[in-house]
Amino acid sequence: DDQPSASGDGGGGDGPIEEDTIKIMVATDNHLGFMEKDPVRGSDSFTAFEEILQLAKHHQADFLLLGGDLFHENKPSRSCVYKTIELLRKYCMGSKPVAVQLVSDPAINFPTQFKMANYEDPNFNIELPVFGIHGNHDDPSGGGLAGLDLLCVANYLNYFGKVPTVDDITLYPLLFEKGGTKVAIYGLGNIRDERLHRTFEQNRVKLVRPKENPDQWFNIMVLHQNRVAHSVKNYISEQFLDDFLDFVIWGHEHECLIAPQQSATGRFFITQPGSSVAVALTEGEAKPKHIGMLYVNHDKYKFQPIPLTHVRPFVIDSITLNEQPDLDPSDTDGVIATLARKVEHMIKTACEPYKDAQDPMFKVPLIRLKVDHTGGFSTLSAQRFGQRFVSRVANHTDILIFAKKRATGTSSKAKGGGADIGDDMDAVMKGVREGQGDPGAMAVGVEQLVTTFLGQSEQLAILPQTRLQHAVHRFVHQDEKAAIAEFLEDMLKTTQTYLCTEMPAANDVNDMIPLVLAHTKQLNIAAAPDDAADEKKAQEDDIIQLLAAAHAQSQKEKPKRAPRTKAAATGRGRKSRALAKGSSDEDAGEGEGGGDADAPAVKMDSDEGQGEGAAGRKRGATTRLNGASEPVAKKRKTTAAPLACGKPRRSSAASHVQPLQISGLPKSEPDASAAATPVKKDDSLSSRLGKWGKRVTKT
């Protein structure tokens, strides 16, 4: 209660709390289940969450508001779910009535079968309601369910902020009343930052205000996104948020910046509670952990930070070996002794708040020492070094992290193409190592590997960079083991269909290369519609050149064949008609019989599925594309079979790709003589494309 408080609109003060004041306990990034199998740190996340529930009861909060990442995993273990329900049942259920009234339509706020807040259900006695949104760790995936859905259907938590589409978002608030105080809470669960950034830029995020007396409501927004700009569009700017908001609760960033800060672009205030448990050994995580108590009375508020006292202490420091006096790089024992003395001092600093090791609040601390070994010093085995601190440091296997100061100008040299990209690899992997378990650091590190070491080195010639990044993200962060394989299979079918549809008559596999390169560039443009106009123009010019080269190659004079006899023509005609009929039957089976007759069409992301149209829905396409979360109906095993050379084979997974319409490109006229010329079986386009497809599949 002695913590500093922040007041808005000149109100709040430190006087007694009035009866119509709404009291909201605020916390974010609990990461329940983090390192749950670790014998030392396994219970840290649950201990911190239990303290949050205890504080909410102690301060008589009307409800607890969580800002995302309640669970550390997208699919929490049974043990994790069991412990979570155990805590919620222990602290949230009771006979005390809830003082706030939910006046908004619960069918809109909670689109589930029950359509009501849990404390309004007559079959349950809830005295501490919990409202929460999902984060990037526990977001809905696969079948469209998040870990919070399990708690919601069990009636222990009210899950809101889940939107059906990311391209046109409409947020309806939770409307609470207590006496004359009215509070509107807008929730938005985590969406991939690039997609949400684009949606905000297109003014397609709408916050619906109450129709009656909208200015009488105190407006709160809770979201779970990058606040720090990791790249140009990999964050959400404060300027995107509406000015009518009064208070913003920002989740996802783990650094505790609990004191409300006024937005530079609006009149609202922002609090960033940070995580309640250290999941990364970084400087931001080393700051003291806090939650907050928000008091709202009419148009005035007071925000009170509350420290968490049951969290594990964490101390981070650095040392530069070449700055230590009388330390020789060849003296390994001297280096070990210097580092050990430094760690001892850090342990002493971490244990200062406790009387002794018998203190019931005592916890073995986390220690991270960054070692700069520039100047000829060699690295040490961190695990071997940590053996002397086994019972005194919680993370004894990774106390040390070694790094060197990078020479200036390395990155510019690499950009010029004359340097090895190993330096950049070291830099990125260093960030990943230092951010072990940190959602922000890991997400940036893994996805940057694709851009830095494949995109910039121009090794992604036939695979679109953005889609590959999405597949890697699904594989790493959402534990979808088949994400990369599905991406490659989808791209193979997409490219095959594009070639059969758009390729001029060609007799050499080499003629396909310019078309494949042009198709990849087209997909990259479609995946990034917000790029600068000049960059788009440059990419379109490249496509024009590639397609023009393919067109010129197709117009070369072909060797004349000997005229065929009438009998041969008649025989080949029957054979061609038979092949055409077989191909048509196969196409019909692929397009109509591929799925169930009444299988629902998958709702595509607008970036990638606008070209599917009615034809794709009629075929009942069930292929899962780039993050589509709908369940797949009767999914068939597919193989990269050669395509029929007559009518192009229609692929349900790739039919959404439309050719880029560019003016000024010469159109190829059908060659009547070529159409009448018999095609040998071994030299057919189907045979050559099929072999090419098999090689790509193998690769």
Side-chain angles (χ1 to χ4, degrees):
D1 294 335
D2 296 330
Q3 296 299 316
S5 62
S7 301
D9 294 337
D14 296 323
I17 300 175
E18 301 178 13
E19 293 183 356
D20 57 351
T21 298
I22 296 181
K23 297 168 287 185
I24 306 172
M25 184 66 75
V26 176
T28 64
D29 296 275
N30 308 109
H31 288 272
L32 298 179
F34 171 70
M35 296 190 69
E36 60 181 332
K37 296 183 180 180
D38 187 277
V40 179
R41 305 168 62 185
S43 62
D44 285 3
S45 60
F46 299 101
T47 301
F49 186 60
E50 183 173 13
E51 183 181 5
I52 293 172
L53 294 173
Q54 290 174 346
L55 290 171
K57 298 272 286 189
H58 173 73
H59 289 270
Q60 299 181 355
D62 290 317
F63 57 87
L64 172 62
L65 182 59
L66 302 178
D69 278 353
L70 174 63
F71 292 110
H72 183 69
E73 298 290 344
N74 178 265
K75 301 174 183 177
S77 65
R78 284 179 291 181
S79 174
C80 177
V81 175
Y82 173 84
K83 293 178 181 178
T84 304
I85 294 178
E86 183 181 39
L87 291 175
L88 293 174
R89 180 174 179 177
K90 179 179 179 180
Y91 292 99
C92 296
M93 300 191 72
S95 58
K96 180 181 178 181
V98 178
V100 294
Q101 180 182 3
L102 181 66
V103 298
S104 57
D105 186 358
I108 297 178
N109 300 135
F110 314 110
T112 63
Q113 178 182 352
F114 305 100
K115 296 179 175 57
M116 67 174 62
N118 63 346
Y119 70 93
E120 294 182 340
D121 191 331
N123 300 311
F124 288 80
N125 287 332
I126 304 294
E127 67 178 26
L128 177 61
V130 180
F131 295 85
I133 64 172
H134 68 261
N136 60 306
H137 277 253
D138 54 6
D139 64 321
S141 66
L145 294 178
L148 274 66
D149 283 301
L150 302 178
L151 302 180
C152 183
V153 74
N155 222 27
Y156 290 106
L157 180 142
N158 302 287
Y159 176 26
F160 73 112
K162 184 178 180 180
V163 296
T165 177
V166 299
D167 299 303
D168 193 1
I169 300 174
T170 301
L171 299 180
Y172 295 90
L174 300 171
L175 301 179
F176 296 98
E177 287 187 0
K178 184 179 181 181
T181 301
K182 300 180 179 181
V183 172
I185 300 180
Y186 299 85
L188 180 60
N190 177 264
I191 299 173
R192 190 168 54 85
D193 290 284
E194 295 87 346
R195 295 290 297 273
L196 185 58
H197 189 284
R198 182 166 60 220
T199 307
F200 267 113
E201 284 187 335
Q202 295 173 349
N203 295 322
R204 292 185 178 179
V205 180
K206 297 177 287 294
L207 276 61
V208 180
R209 304 188 66 181
K211 294 182 179 179
E212 298 181 1
N213 303 319
D215 296 333
Q216 294 184 3
W217 295 84
F218 186 85
N219 300 287
I220 301 173
M221 183 170 186
V222 54
L223 72 163
H224 191 97
Q225 303 292 152
N226 281 337
R227 187 180 178 190
V228 179
H230 298 286
S231 65
V232 178
K233 297 183 179 180
N234 192 22
Y235 78 109
I236 302 303
S237 174
E238 298 174 6
Q239 66 182 0
F240 289 149
L241 305 183
D242 291 25
D243 286 339
F244 72 83
L245 295 173
D246 299 293
F247 200 78
V248 175
I249 301 167
W250 208 298
H252 183 64
E253 300 289 353
H254 284 203
E255 182 179 2
C256 182
L257 301 175
I258 192 69
Q261 302 172 348
Q262 188 171 11
S263 171
T265 59
R267 68 179 185 88
F268 53 85
F269 286 78
I270 301 174
T271 181
Q272 181 179 303
S275 62
S276 58
V277 59
V279 300
L281 303 181
T282 58
E283 294 181 1
E285 294 274 20
K287 291 187 175 182
K289 303 295 185 183
H290 288 79
I291 58 176
M293 189 72 176
L294 178 63
Y295 300 92
V296 181
N297 187 276
H298 297 273
D299 60 342
K300 302 176 182 179
Y301 79 93
K302 182 179 72 172
F303 189 75
Q304 178 184 2
I306 302 175
L308 296 177
T309 59
H310 290 68
V311 297
R312 188 176 300 278
F314 175 29
V315 176
I316 186 170
D317 204 346
S318 61
I319 186 174
T320 304
L321 294 180
N322 61 7
E323 295 179 358
Q324 305 302 311
D326 303 328
L327 189 60
D328 190 348
S330 61
D331 184 9
T332 305
D333 294 337
V335 172
I336 294 176
T338 300
L339 297 178
R341 286 194 299 269
K342 182 68 174 178
V343 172
E344 290 285 355
H345 177 72
M346 296 171 67
I347 295 175
K348 183 179 179 180
T349 302
C351 296
E352 283 180 355
Y354 309 105
K355 297 178 181 179
D356 51 40
Q358 304 302 322
D359 191 324
M361 300 291 292
F362 175 78
K363 290 181 179 293
V364 178
L366 295 168
I367 301 295
R368 167 52 60 90
L369 180 59
K370 297 181 179 181
V371 182
D372 183 354
H373 62 106
T374 306
F377 292 89
S378 59
T379 60
L380 305 174
S381 172
Q383 293 184 350
R384 185 178 302 174
F385 175 84
Q387 291 301 315
R388 67 195 71 201
F389 304 104
V390 169
S391 60
R392 303 173 59 198
V393 177
N395 60 313
H396 61 88
T397 60
D398 57 351
I399 296 175
L400 304 179
I401 181 72
F402 289 90
K404 281 186 178 182
K405 292 182 179 179
R406 298 183 63 195
T408 58
T410 303
S411 60
S412 60
K413 182 180 178 182
K415 288 182 180 180
D420 189 0
I421 63 175
D423 294 335
D424 290 332
M425 175 71 81
D426 293 339
V428 173
M429 293 308 299
K430 173 178 176 292
V432 173
R433 287 193 299 267
E434 292 187 3
Q436 295 176 5
D438 182 2
M442 286 296 293
V444 173
V446 171
E447 293 178 0
Q448 278 185 346
L449 292 177
V450 177
T451 302
T452 305
F453 310 117
L454 294 178
Q456 292 182 359
S457 58
E458 298 182 356
Q459 298 183 31
L460 286 177
I462 61 173
L463 294 176
Q465 176 179 320
T466 303
R467 295 191 181 187
L468 179 57
Q469 286 178 327
H470 297 172
V472 172
H473 178 84
R474 290 166 52 203
F475 178 84
V476 174
H477 298 287
Q478 299 183 358
D479 197 28
E480 298 184 17
K481 303 301 183 184
I484 297 179
E486 291 175 355
F487 159 73
L488 293 176
E489 181 180 357
D490 175 43
M491 286 308 306
L492 176 60
K493 292 181 178 179
T494 301
T495 307
Q496 288 177 334
T497 303
Y498 177 81
L499 289 175
C500 284
T501 305
E502 300 299 322
M503 186 180 63
N507 292 326
D508 195 336
V509 175
N510 293 329
D511 297 341
M512 304 176 189
I513 295 178
L515 287 171
V516 174
L517 298 178
H519 179 54
T520 303
K521 288 181 175 292
Q522 173 187 337
L523 293 178
N524 284 328
I525 291 178
D530 298 324
D531 290 342
D534 54 348
E535 184 176 352
K536 286 186 180 181
K537 184 64 168 58
Q539 291 180 335
E540 291 181 355
D541 291 342
D542 292 341
I543 295 177
I544 291 176
Q545 294 178 2
L546 292 170
L547 294 180
H551 175 79
Q553 181 71 19
S554 66
Q555 296 301 319
K556 291 183 179 179
E557 184 177 358
K558 300 178 178 60
K560 295 183 179 180
R561 303 178 185 272
R564 55 180 177 170
T565 62
K566 181 176 181 181
T570 303
R572 289 188 179 273
R574 294 196 187 106
K575 185 176 181 180
S576 299
R577 286 192 294 272
L579 288 175
K581 184 178 185 301
S583 176
S584 300
D585 294 339
E586 186 179 3
D587 290 338
E590 176 72 12
E592 299 175 6
D596 294 341
D598 51 355
V602 175
K603 190 171 184 179
M604 317 295 290
D605 289 344
S606 65
D607 285 353
E608 302 158 358
Q610 292 179 354
E612 182 72 13
R617 291 191 294 272
K618 183 177 180 180
R619 294 195 306 271
T622 59
T623 303
R624 178 181 180 182
L625 298 178
N626 286 342
S629 59
E630 287 75 5
V632 177
K634 199 173 182 179
K635 186 173 181 180
R636 305 188 338 275
K637 183 177 180 181
T638 57
T639 57
L643 303 179
C645 59
K647 172 184 175 183
R649 183 174 179 176
R650 303 175 66 179
S651 172
S652 62
S655 59
H656 64 283
V657 177
Q658 298 295 328
L660 184 66
Q661 302 297 331
I662 304 174
S663 60
L665 185 67
K667 298 182 179 180
S668 58
E669 299 295 337
D671 191 344
S673 61
T677 303
V679 181
K680 294 183 180 180
K681 181 178 180 180
D682 294 338
D683 295 333
S684 65
L685 174 61
S686 172
S687 176
R688 294 182 179 275
L689 186 56
K691 295 177 182 178
W692 173 78
K694 291 179 180 178
R695 288 200 297 273
V696 175
T697 304
K698 183 177 181 181
T699 304

